[in-house]
Amino acid sequence: MTADKPSVLFVCVHNAGRSQMAAGYLAQLSAGAVEVRSAGSEPADRINPVAVQAMAEEGIDITDQHPKILTTDAVQASDVVITMGCGDTCPFYPGKRYEEWELDDPAGQDLDHVRPIRDDIKGRVQHLLRELGLPVAIDG
């Protein structure tokens, strides 16, 4: 982590849908200006294929990602920690910026139900970039 490159950690329970979509958007929209992490309190075996499909519609490939376990090191190394329904399982460290994003879980949903979740995440990521004082590479 450097002073000119903030680090953001997205956390959800399974690290298979919401947090992976958010990480994909942040990596794409920040054009590398942000160190992006994602993790889950109870990681799934694989990424939600409908989330992969929804992101592919946006031209973002998250097929090379895999669910990761949430560690205290990941939280400590991040400037901003964004949780998505992981509740009290996310460790808290003073001095970190925490946000809770209330989002429906895409698990078990079809593509028509995942698209609005994806679009909500995109808007939140764009807003986060602006709050961090960073340009949005693709503002669609």
Side-chain angles (χ1 to χ4, degrees):
M1 179 179 68
T2 61
D4 61 340
K5 188 171 185 174
S7 175
V8 176
L9 170 64
F10 294 103
V11 181
C12 66
V13 176
H14 300 298
N15 190 221
R18 295 168 288 189
S19 55
Q20 292 286 354
M21 289 190 286
Y25 271 127
L26 187 57
Q28 176 89 10
L29 297 175
S30 74
V34 177
E35 187 177 338
V36 181
R37 296 182 177 91
S38 70
S41 54
E42 299 174 25
D45 294 331
R46 63 187 178 107
I47 292 188
N48 179 336
V50 180
V52 170
Q53 186 179 359
M55 292 302 288
E57 290 182 347
E58 292 281 287
I60 299 173
D61 181 4
I62 59 172
T63 57
D64 63 340
Q65 299 301 311
H66 59 279
K68 296 168 279 305
I69 186 73
L70 176 64
T71 65
T72 54
D73 289 346
V75 177
Q76 288 178 314
S78 300
D79 299 309
V80 180
V81 179
I82 297 174
T83 58
M84 304 171 180
C86 71
D88 296 333
T89 60
C90 186
F92 180 82
Y93 292 95
K96 301 290 177 195
R97 173 180 166 184
Y98 289 86
E99 287 185 28
E100 170 69 25
W101 288 2
E102 299 282 338
L103 296 161
D104 289 336
D105 189 345
Q109 305 276 3
D110 63 22
L111 188 57
D112 287 337
H113 287 92
V114 173
R115 283 185 185 117
I117 299 168
R118 174 202 66 198
D119 295 345
D120 188 1
I121 290 170
K122 181 178 183 179
R124 290 170 188 250
V125 167
Q126 290 170 328
H127 182 75
L128 175 65
L129 280 167
R130 290 184 193 100
E131 283 185 333
L132 293 172
L134 297 169
V136 178
I138 303 168
D139 198 6

